[in-house]
Amino acid sequence: MLGVALVALVLYVDWASLAQNFAKGDVADKALPELFTIALRNTLIYTIGGFVLAFVLGLIFALMRISPVRPYRWIATIYIEIFRGLPALLIFLLITFLPLALPGFEVPGGTYGQGILGLGLVGAAYQAEVFRAGLQAVPKGQTEAARSLGMSAARAQFTVVIPQAIRIVIPPTTNQFVSLLKDSSLVLFLGVSGQYVELAKFGNDLASQYANATPIMVSGLTYLIVTVPLGYLAARLEKRKGSGR
């Protein structure tokens, strides 16, 4: 059945028209070298910055989530539920209205800072749950052994538990980085232009300029050049982790 569908698709598709509209060589050439020197560079800046912020905030909220202090747990739970429940697009749109809600306030770093803030706030909620699972996976005997050696609870947490938890969550954290890389396309809703465009905005602008979808396809392939190897790496790390148990 699948073979019949594929044959029908091959016969039905106008391949010449498809190539003309989605794989036109001279239009693809127009994307270079800015595709890499501007669009991909900015995508990586937004993603790496957002990931670092999400990593730090995620660890903090994870520790608060498992804290014996009830108000800390409440704050962490409220943050995680809100930012996991809201669409990421809505978060970016709200960031654009921050100057109106807080007159005189500017996000440090300008456009880059806004993009990093949006990705970091969204990513932190998911990363917090990843860290929480990792922290709870560390045997309690590790903490008890550290305390028996005279370590304080805080020192045992930061020198014994957290390093082990980070090693445990490397595979899902790699997947989280890939998710942020794809979510970086939402930066276009901040109204970025010129030197601040990322891959999605870059491809869309060129597609509009030349009335051709080839730049969008080129941008998509550029995403795949980064995400596919990272996804493969995450799978290998997960497999290695499973075989090491």
Side-chain angles (χ1 to χ4, degrees), residues 146-163:
R147 295 299 303 277
S148 68
L149 295 175
M151 291 187 185
S152 64
R155 184 180 177 187
Q157 189 75 264
F158 282 95
T159 61
V160 178
V161 178
I162 290 178

Side-chain angles (χ1 to χ4, degrees), residues 143-230:
T143 303
E144 295 170 355
R147 295 299 303 277
S148 68
L149 295 175
M151 291 187 185
S152 64
R155 184 180 177 187
Q157 189 75 264
F158 282 95
T159 61
V160 178
V161 178
I162 290 178
Q164 293 186 66
I166 290 176
R167 285 195 293 270
I168 291 171
V169 303
I170 286 177
T173 297
T174 304
N175 284 325
Q176 180 64 24
F177 181 86
V178 173
S179 295
L180 285 180
L181 180 67
K182 292 183 289 186
D183 284 345
S184 68
S185 62
L186 296 174
V187 170
L188 70 88
F189 290 98
L190 296 175
V192 295
S193 61
Q195 63 177 335
Y196 298 107
V197 298
E198 38 62 56
L199 281 169
K201 173 68 171 173
F202 180 81
N204 184 63
D205 287 349
L206 279 185
S208 298
Q209 180 180 346
Y210 295 103
N212 190 282
T214 299
I216 296 177
M217 298 298 293
V218 171
S219 294
L221 289 173
T222 307
Y223 275 115
L224 292 176
I225 290 173
V226 181
T227 59
V228 170
L230 286 175

Side-chain angles (χ1 to χ4, degrees), residues 7-19:
V7 171
L9 178 63
V10 170
L11 294 176
Y12 175 77
V13 171
D14 184 345
W15 293 102
S17 177
L18 189 69

Side-chain angles (χ1 to χ4, degrees), residues 116-136:
I116 290 171
L117 177 63
L119 291 172
L121 290 177
V122 174
Y126 293 92
Q127 190 64 37
E129 290 298 273
V130 170
F131 274 131
R132 182 167 72 94
L135 290 167
Q136 293 177 334

Side-chain angles (χ1 to χ4, degrees), residues 56-115:
V56 174
L57 290 179
L59 180 57
I60 293 172
F61 282 118
L63 293 170
M64 293 173 66
R65 187 78 183 265
I66 63 175
S67 171
V69 182
R70 189 172 299 176
Y72 288 169
R73 295 201 305 272
W74 290 346
I75 293 172
T77 300
I78 290 172
Y79 177 89
I80 291 169
E81 294 303 322
I82 288 177
F83 282 89
R84 290 180 69 192
L86 290 175
L89 170 58
L90 187 61
I91 303 301
F92 279 88
L93 292 176
L94 289 173
I95 288 175
T96 64
F97 285 94
L98 277 178
L100 297 177
L102 302 170
F105 174 78
E106 292 184 3
V107 177
T111 302
Y112 286 127
Q114 289 180 329

Side-chain angles (χ1 to χ4, degrees), residues 29-49:
D29 288 340
K30 301 291 185 182
L32 301 174
E34 288 82 4
L35 174 70
F36 299 108
T37 60
I38 296 178
L40 179 58
R41 182 201 65 187
N42 287 339
T43 295
L44 293 176
I45 289 174
Y46 292 128
T47 303
I48 294 172

